[in-house]
C-alpha cells in the first residue's frame, strides 16, 4: 500500500503551502516508507508516499504520460496492467510500475477508462492541459480514500483522514465504485460488481438449481475463478506471504498459492516455498489450526504470540491508525496490527489475506438465522457494500501501519460476479441437508483425488479473527474497559456522545480514544453504527429476537449456533427450549462429514 494526498484549487500557492502539504503527506509515511514524491502545478498539489512492491527501482510516483501533461498519484495494484499496456502500443512507458497505465489510459480514453482496471486502487489524476482532475476508488473500497473541502474552496483527497482532518472543514469517506470529476462531479463507474438486483433470486449462469449441476458449477466456475484470483495476486517483486488463521478462507488462499507459487515469476527471485503467518494468545484456536494447515501444505510457517496486556497497550496506536471506533474492527485490528509489525521485521512487504468470503457466501454464524433465501441474499449484498467501512478498512490500515500491503483474492471482481450469481438457496445453512455455512465454497474445493485441505479444516466452524486469536482476548478487553468506564459514564453516554452513542463500556472506551485523535464531527461521522450481533447488520438482528438482548459483535454471541457461545446466555437458551433444538453443529459435521442424521433438528 501507498499513501496519497492531493490538494486541488488552493488559494495559496506559496512555499509555505508546499511545506504544509509535505508535512501532511508525512502523516502517511507509514503506508509508504520507501520514497516520497510531490508534484506542484499552479494551485494543485499531488503527493505520494510509496511502498515499492512492483518495480521498486523505477516506479516512484507521481507518475506521468509522455509529455507530463497528465499526472497521477495512486494507491493500489492494477493486476491486468500488462494486458492494458499491450493495447497501448502507441504510448511510451517510463517505468515498469503497474500504475503507470492509468495516465496513458486516461490520455487514450478519457474518464471512461476506469472500468478497464482490474485491481484495488484509489487515485487522483490531474490533467494540466485544462486543469481538470478526477479521483476514483475501486468498486469494493479495498483501498481507503477520503475527500475533504477547505475554507478556501480547495478539494482534498487522502488515503487516511489524518492527512486532511486538520485542514478541512468537512470530509467524508469517498464512496467505493465512484469517480469524482471536476467537470461532472460524481459518476458511478460500472465495474460490474453487485450490479444485480439484490432482492432477486439468481440462478447461476443459466443452470437449473439441481444438485448435480450445482456441483458441476462449483468445480468448473467457482474453483477456477478463485484459483485465478489468487494467482494474479502473486504479482510482486518483493518477498510476500499469506496470513493464515487456520480457518477456511485463509487456508484456501494458502493452499492455492502454495500449489501455484513454483510457476509464478516471484518464485525465481524469492523461492518456491510459501511463507505463512499467524498470531494468537498461547494455546489459541487459530494457532493450533494454522500450524496444522501449514504442516499439511509444507509452508515456512511463522507463529507469533501476544498477551492481552500487549494488545491493550497498543489500543491507542491501533485506533489512531485504523481511524474507527467500531468495536469489532478494533478487536480484530489489534492482533493484525501486532502481527504486521513482526512480518515487516522479517523483510516481508506483501501478504495475501482471506477477507470477503464471509460476506459473499454468508459465512458469519448469524446467517444460520436467515429466514429465507431473499433475506439471505439481501444481507450478503449489504455486507459486501459495507466492507470498506469494516474488514477492508481493518486489513488495509492495520497492515499499512507498518508498511505491509494486504491483498484480498476473495474480493476479485470476476470471482464476486460468479459467486453472487449463485442461487442464494445453495448458500443457506441447511443442517437437514448437511449444509453448514459457506457450504458452496467448501464443496468447490472438496477434491477427493488431490485434496486442497484436510476434511476437518475444510469443514471447520467459522471463527471470527478476534475470537480465534484466543477467547480471553475479548474477555480481557471487556474487563479493561470496565475498569476505565464507570456505570455513570455509560449512563450519560448519550449526552457526551449524542451521535452514534456507544452502548457498552468497551465501545465508550474506544470512542474516547478516537475522539482524542479525531475530535471533529466529520471524523466521527465516517464510522458506521447501529446494533450488531456476531458481525451482523442492524437489519439482521431482527432475525432472532433473543439476540437483541446480547448486543455483542463476537461470534460467540451467536447463541445456539457457536460451539463455544457465551456460556451463561447459552445455558438460558437450553433451559428455555428444554433442549428441543440442537445447539451448535452435530459432532459428525465438526469432524468434516457433511451428512447429518435424520433426527437432527434444523436451526
Amino acid at each position: 500500500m501507498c499513501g496519497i494526498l492531493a490538494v486541488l484549487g488552493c488559494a495559496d500557492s506559496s512555499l509555505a503551502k508546499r511545506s504544509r502539504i509535505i508535512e501532511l503527506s508525512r502523516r502517511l509515511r507509514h503506508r509508504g516508507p520507501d520514497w516520497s514524491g510531490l508534484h506542484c502545478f499552479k494551485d494543485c498539489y499531488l503527493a505520494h508516499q510509496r511502498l515499492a512492491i512492483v518495480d521498486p527501482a523505477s516506479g516512484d510516483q507521481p507518475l506521468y504520460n509522455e509529455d507530463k501533461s497528465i499526472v497521477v498519484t495512486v494507491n493500489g495494484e492494477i493486476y491486468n496492467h500488462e494486458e492494458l499496456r499491450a493495447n497501448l502500443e502507441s504510448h511510451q512507458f517510463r517505468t515498469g510500475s503497474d500504475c503507470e497505465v492509468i495516465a496513458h489510459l486516461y490520455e487514450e480514453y478519457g474518464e471512461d477508462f476506469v472500468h478497464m482496471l482490474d485491481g484495488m486502487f484509489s487515485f487522483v489524476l490531474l490533467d494540466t492541459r485544462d486543469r481538470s482532475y478526477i479521483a476514483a476508488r475501486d468498486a469494493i473500497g479495498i483501498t481507503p480514500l477520503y475527500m475533504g473541502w477547505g475554507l478556501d474552496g480547495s478539494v482534498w483527497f487522502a488515503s487516511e483522514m489524518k492527512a486532511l482532518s486538520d485542514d478541512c472543514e468537512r470530509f467524508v469517506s469517498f464512496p467505493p465504485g465512484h469517480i469524482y470529476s471536476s467537470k461532472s462531479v460524481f459518476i458511478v463507474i460500472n465495474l460490474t460488481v453487485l450490479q444485480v438486483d439484490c432482492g432477486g433470486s439468481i440462478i447461476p449462469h443459466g443452470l437449473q438449481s439441481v444438485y448435480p449441476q450445482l456441483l458441476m458449477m462449483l468445480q468448473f466456475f467457482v474453483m477456477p475463478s478463485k484459483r485465478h484470483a489468487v494467482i494474479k495476486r502473486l504479482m510482486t517483486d518483493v518477498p510476500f506471504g499469506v496470513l493464515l488463521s487456520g480457518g477456511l478462507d485463509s487456508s484456501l488462499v494458502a493452499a492455492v498459492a502454495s500449489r501455484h507459487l513454483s510457476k509464478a515469476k516471484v518464485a525465481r527471485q524469492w523461492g518456491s516455498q510459501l511463507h505463512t503467518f499467524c498470531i494468537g494468545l498461547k494455546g489459541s484456536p487459530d494457532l493450533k489450526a494454522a500450524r496444522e494447515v501449514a504442516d499439511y501444505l509444507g509452508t515456512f510457517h511463522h507463529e507469533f504470540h501476544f498477551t492481552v496486556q500487549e494488545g491493550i497497550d497498543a489500543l491507542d496506536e491501533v485506533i489512531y491508525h485504523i481511524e474507527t471506533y467500531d468495536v469489532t474492527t478494533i478487536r480484530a485490528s489489534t492482533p493484525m496490527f501486532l502481527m504486521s509489525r513482526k512480518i515487516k521485521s522479517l523483510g516481508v512487504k506483501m501478504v495475501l489475506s482471506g477477507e470477503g468470503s464471509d460476506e459473499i457466501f454468508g459465512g458469519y454464524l448469524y446467517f444460520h438465522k436467515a429466514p429465507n433465501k431473499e433475506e439471505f441474499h439481501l444481507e450478503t449484498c449489504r455486507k459486501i457494500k459495507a466492507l470498506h467501512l469494516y474488514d477492508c478498512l481493518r486489513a488495509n490500515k492495520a497492515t499499512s501501519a507498518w508498511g505491509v500491503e494486504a491483498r484480498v483474492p476473495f474480493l476479485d471482481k470476476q470471482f464476486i460476479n460468479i459467486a453472487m450469481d449463485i442461487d442464494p438457496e445453495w448458500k443457506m445453512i441447511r443442517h437437514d441437508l448437511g449444509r453448514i455455512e459457506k457450504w458452496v465454497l467448501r464443496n468447490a474445493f472438496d477434491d477427493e483425488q488431490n485434496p486442497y485441505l484436510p476434511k476437518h479444516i475444510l469443514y471447520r466452524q467459522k471463527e471470527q479473527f478476534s475470537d480465534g486469536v484466543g477467547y480471553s482476548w475479548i474477555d480481557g478487553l471487556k474487563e479493561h474497559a470496565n475498569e476505565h468506564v464507570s456505570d455513570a459514564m455509560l449512563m450519560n453516554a448519550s449526552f457526551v456522545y449524542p451521535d452514534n452513542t456507544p452502548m457498552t463500556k468497551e465501545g465508550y472506551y474506544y470512542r474516547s480514544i478516537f475522539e482524542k485523535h479525531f475530535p471533529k464531527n466529520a471524523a466521527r461521522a465516517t464510522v458506521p453504527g447501529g446494533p450488531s450481533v456476531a458481525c451482523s447488520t442492524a437489519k439482521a438482528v431482527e432475525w432472532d429476537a433473543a439476540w437483541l438482548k446480547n448486543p455483542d459483535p463476537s461470534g460467540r454471541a451467536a447463541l445456539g449456533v457457536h460451539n463455544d457461545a457465551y456460556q451463561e446466555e447459552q445455558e438460558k437458551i437450553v433451559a428455555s427450549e428444554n433442549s428441543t433444538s440442537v445447539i451448535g453443529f452435530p459432532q459428525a459435521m465438526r469432524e468434516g462429514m457433511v451428512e447429518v442424521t435424520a433426527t437432527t433438528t434444523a436451526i
Side-chain angles (χ1 to χ4, degrees), residues 161 319 322-326 329-330 389 393 510 514 527-528:
M161 65 181 175
I319 292 172
I322 64 174
E323 302 182 324
T324 186
Y325 49 84
D326 176 69
T329 305
I330 294 169
L389 300 172
L393 179 148
Y510 300 154
F514 177 89
V527 181

Side-chain angles (χ1 to χ4, degrees), residues 425-478:
E425 173 66 33
W426 294 102
K427 294 181 181 179
M428 292 189 70
I429 295 93
R430 290 284 303 274
H431 290 292
D432 56 328
L433 299 177
R435 298 208 306 254
I436 63 175
E437 69 275 353
K438 292 187 285 194
W439 176 86
V440 165
L441 184 63
R442 298 175 198 272
N443 273 266
F445 285 89
D446 195 350
D447 189 335
E448 295 286 351
Q449 303 302 318
N450 189 16
Y452 280 84
L453 295 169
K455 282 276 191 180
H456 63 284
I457 294 292
L458 194 61
Y459 291 93
R460 181 190 178 199
Q461 186 184 33
K462 164 69 183 174
E463 285 283 12
Q464 289 167 205
F465 183 53
S466 53
D467 287 328
V469 297
Y471 294 148
S472 58
W473 166 234
I474 290 178
D475 297 338
L477 287 174
K478 289 181 175 181

Side-chain angles (χ1 to χ4, degrees), residues 142-206:
I142 301 169
T143 62
L145 187 64
Y146 294 84
M147 181 179 184
W149 296 267
L151 284 175
D152 61 352
S154 56
V155 179
W156 295 56
F157 300 93
S159 295
E160 296 180 4
M161 65 181 175
K162 59 178 62 68
L164 52 71
S165 58
D166 289 344
D167 290 59
C168 293
E169 285 305 299
R170 182 170 177 262
F171 49 91
V172 296
S173 176
F174 192 92
H178 284 66
I179 68 170
Y180 178 91
S181 169
S182 60
K183 296 177 181 177
S184 52
V185 197
F186 274 114
I187 304 170
V188 178
I189 54 177
N190 180 16
L191 297 186
T192 69
V193 174
L194 292 182
Q195 298 301 315
V196 297
D197 177 5
C198 286
S201 173
I202 301 167
I203 307 299
H205 301 280

Side-chain angles (χ1 to χ4, degrees), residues 403-582:
V404 175
E405 175 176 287
R407 297 180 181 177
V408 283
F410 279 104
L411 296 179
D412 179 84
K413 68 177 182 178
Q414 180 187 18
F415 180 75
I416 292 177
N417 287 332
I418 288 175
M420 295 304 288
D421 268 353
I422 297 172
D423 188 331
E425 173 66 33
W426 294 102
K427 294 181 181 179
M428 292 189 70
I429 295 93
R430 290 284 303 274
H431 290 292
D432 56 328
L433 299 177
R435 298 208 306 254
I436 63 175
E437 69 275 353
K438 292 187 285 194
W439 176 86
V440 165
L441 184 63
R442 298 175 198 272
N443 273 266
F445 285 89
D446 195 350
D447 189 335
E448 295 286 351
Q449 303 302 318
N450 189 16
Y452 280 84
L453 295 169
K455 282 276 191 180
H456 63 284
I457 294 292
L458 194 61
Y459 291 93
R460 181 190 178 199
Q461 186 184 33
K462 164 69 183 174
E463 285 283 12
Q464 289 167 205
F465 183 53
S466 53
D467 287 328
V469 297
Y471 294 148
S472 58
W473 166 234
I474 290 178
D475 297 338
L477 287 174
K478 289 181 175 181
E479 291 173 8
H480 180 74
N482 287 338
E483 293 172 0
H484 288 79
V485 179
S486 67
D487 292 342
M489 292 166 70
L490 184 62
M491 184 169 55
N492 293 313
S494 61
F495 300 103
V496 180
Y497 304 120
D499 299 319
N500 219 350
T501 304
M503 304 300 293
T504 65
K505 291 184 177 180
E506 186 183 4
Y508 190 107
Y509 182 68
Y510 300 154
R511 180 68 172 270
S512 65
I513 297 174
F514 177 89
E515 296 275 347
K516 178 183 68 175
H517 292 299
F518 307 104
K520 287 189 175 180
N521 287 332
R524 66 180 66 100
T526 64
V527 181
S532 172
V533 173
C535 284
S536 63
T537 66
K539 174 67 176 176
V541 174
E542 301 172 8
W543 291 351
D544 189 332
W547 286 358
L548 291 171
K549 303 174 183 177
N550 191 41
D552 192 289
S554 167
R556 288 183 293 158
L559 306 179
V561 176
H562 195 288
N563 292 332
D564 295 300
Y566 290 126
Q567 192 62 35
E568 183 178 347
E569 289 85 352
Q570 184 73 48
E571 290 171 352
K572 290 178 182 178
I573 281 188
V574 174
S576 65
E577 296 184 357
N578 296 316
S579 300
T580 57
S581 65
V582 175

Side-chain angles (χ1 to χ4, degrees), residues 282-355:
K282 287 187 176 180
S284 70
D286 280 2
L287 289 178
K288 179 181 177 183
R291 170 61 65 182
E292 185 176 2
V293 174
D295 290 344
Y296 180 82
L297 298 177
T299 70
F300 194 109
H301 191 58
H302 307 264
E303 186 176 289
F304 307 124
H305 302 111
F306 77 105
T307 65
V308 172
Q309 188 59 54
E310 287 172 335
I312 289 172
D313 291 341
L315 284 174
D316 188 280
E317 195 174 4
V318 168
I319 292 172
Y320 171 76
H321 276 288
I322 64 174
E323 302 182 324
T324 186
Y325 49 84
D326 176 69
V327 172
T328 309
T329 305
I330 294 169
R331 286 176 174 181
S333 293
T334 304
M336 199 170 197
F337 173 87
L338 297 173
M339 177 170 54
S340 297
R341 188 175 191 179
K342 290 283 190 180
I343 289 172
K344 186 58 180 287
S345 73
L346 296 173
V348 172
K349 298 173 71 174
M350 186 274 282
V351 292
L352 304 183
S353 192
E355 279 75 21

Side-chain angles (χ1 to χ4, degrees), residues 7-193:
V7 186
L8 305 142
C10 294
D12 179 8
S13 57
S14 65
L15 287 176
K17 187 65 174 181
R18 179 189 177 97
S19 297
R20 178 59 175 168
I21 300 298
I22 292 173
E23 177 188 348
L24 293 173
S25 181
R26 285 196 194 108
R27 297 184 183 180
L28 304 175
R29 186 160 292 174
H30 54 275
R31 298 183 62 87
D34 296 333
W35 197 251
S36 302
L38 176 64
H39 180 89
C40 303
F41 176 77
K42 297 183 178 180
D43 58 355
C44 298
Y45 301 83
L46 272 67
H48 192 266
Q49 301 290 339
R50 188 186 185 203
L51 180 66
I53 302 292
V54 176
D55 185 25
S58 68
D60 296 337
Q61 295 194 36
L63 295 163
Y64 308 89
N65 65 338
E66 291 86 347
D67 63 3
K68 293 193 173 182
S69 61
I70 311 299
V71 191
V72 62
T73 180
V74 188
N75 169 34
E77 304 289 346
I78 309 302
Y79 301 122
N80 64 335
H81 74 104
E82 292 183 350
E83 173 189 337
L84 294 171
R85 280 175 182 251
N87 294 324
L88 293 166
E89 294 180 352
S90 63
H91 292 258
Q92 294 180 346
F93 287 79
R94 288 188 174 87
T95 76
S97 169
D98 55 294
C99 294
E100 189 181 347
V101 295
I102 292 175
H104 298 284
L105 286 169
Y106 174 82
E107 189 176 27
E108 187 76 17
Y109 301 103
E111 295 176 356
D112 294 336
F113 78 92
V114 183
H115 73 278
M116 302 166 66
L117 303 176
D118 181 8
M120 55 179 185
F121 56 84
S122 301
F123 69 81
V124 179
L125 182 149
L126 173 66
D127 187 340
T128 64
R129 296 170 298 187
D130 59 3
R131 295 173 67 178
S132 65
Y133 58 86
I134 63 171
R137 189 179 186 188
D138 67 74
I140 300 298
I142 301 169
T143 62
L145 187 64
Y146 294 84
M147 181 179 184
W149 296 267
L151 284 175
D152 61 352
S154 56
V155 179
W156 295 56
F157 300 93
S159 295
E160 296 180 4
M161 65 181 175
K162 59 178 62 68
L164 52 71
S165 58
D166 289 344
D167 290 59
C168 293
E169 285 305 299
R170 182 170 177 262
F171 49 91
V172 296
S173 176
F174 192 92
H178 284 66
I179 68 170
Y180 178 91
S181 169
S182 60
K183 296 177 181 177
S184 52
V185 197
F186 274 114
I187 304 170
V188 178
I189 54 177
N190 180 16
L191 297 186
T192 69
V193 174

